[in-house]
Amino acid sequence: KDSLIWVSAGMFGIEGFRAIINKDSVVILNKLEKNYMVIKTKDFSGITSTPLTVAQIQNIIIAKPIFDLKNYQIKTNTLDQLTIQYQDPKLALNHFYKTNTLTIDSSFIINKNKVKQWAKIRYSDYTSLNEHAFPIKAEIESQDEQRKNIVQLNYTDVDFISPLTFPFTIPSSYVKAK
């Protein structure tokens, strides 16, 4: 709900990683190596290569526009693809929509002050969830001057309705990652 993002990742029913993103920090638990990282939200832009708020990160994950649609302009309109663009002094953002389904195919964010700092998000395999189109797969690729990161998301369970009822705690046996 724009204030907290909880992500669990694993395989074969075994959770390997857990992350929580809130307005102040990002906490990542590596359950395989029994360590954790705590990153201040203001420093999170160094990992994503793009300065984003919690609400904007949430919108990226669920394939929604990052900013309010009234701030966008339609850049191009073809039979197959609709491009909606957002410009501000720091960021340029393009959302590419499939016209037949009106779902976001991909998004591209670039830091205008550092052109080598960008992020691309690609969405695929949409399904209906609570009467809304939701991508089962997403790939987030980001780059800055030093590194390139790729995160692939394959959703197996998504819940936007149930309240979060269990705490996010760091076990005392976990060590801080370097």
Side-chain angles (χ1 to χ4, degrees):
K1 303 282 183 187
D2 299 335
S3 62
L4 179 74
I5 300 169
W6 180 299
V7 178
S8 295
M11 292 179 69
F12 310 113
I14 299 170
E15 184 182 42
F17 294 90
R18 184 181 294 177
I20 191 166
I21 303 168
N22 62 36
K23 293 178 182 178
D24 300 322
S25 62
V26 177
V27 179
I28 302 169
L29 291 180
N30 180 338
K31 296 181 112 185
L32 302 173
E33 296 181 14
K34 299 201 183 305
N35 62 30
Y36 68 94
M37 291 180 8
V38 178
I39 305 162
K40 297 290 181 195
T41 304
K42 65 182 172 98
D43 299 329
F44 191 60
S45 64
I47 292 174
T48 63
S49 300
T50 309
L52 297 171
T53 67
V54 172
Q56 291 164 335
I57 293 169
Q58 175 181 289
N59 285 350
I60 287 172
I61 292 170
I62 63 174
K64 299 290 181 200
I66 296 173
F67 299 99
D68 187 352
L69 277 176
K70 66 184 174 188
N71 296 323
Y72 287 94
Q73 296 178 357
I74 295 176
K75 182 70 174 171
T76 16
N77 192 358
T78 66
L79 291 177
D80 296 330
Q81 192 175 63
L82 173 70
T83 304
I84 298 179
Q85 185 178 58
Y86 173 83
Q87 296 282 336
D88 82 5
K90 295 181 181 178
L91 294 176
L93 172 64
N94 289 304
H95 288 305
F96 303 98
Y97 284 79
K98 294 179 184 177
T99 56
N100 60 341
T101 60
L102 293 178
T103 56
I104 297 177
D105 181 53
S106 61
S107 295
F108 183 68
I109 307 164
I110 189 165
N111 183 338
K112 287 182 172 181
N113 299 324
K114 298 178 182 180
V115 293
K116 291 184 179 180
Q117 191 176 55
W118 52 264
K120 291 180 189 175
I121 307 100
R122 294 173 200 87
Y123 304 99
S124 61
D125 297 349
Y126 276 84
T127 188
S128 180
L129 180 67
N130 298 331
E131 300 180 18
H132 298 283
F134 184 83
I136 297 298
K137 295 182 180 183
E139 180 180 276
I140 303 170
E141 180 180 355
S142 65
Q143 179 175 310
D144 62 17
E145 288 83 6
Q146 285 88 30
R147 64 182 174 255
K148 186 175 185 177
N149 298 305
I150 297 176
V151 175
Q152 293 182 337
L153 305 172
N154 297 311
Y155 298 99
T156 56
D157 185 22
V158 180
D159 185 351
F160 293 106
I161 299 171
S162 300
L164 188 60
T165 58
F166 47 98
F168 188 95
T169 57
I170 300 171
S172 60
S173 61
Y174 282 39
V175 296
K176 193 167 188 170
K178 296 178 182 180

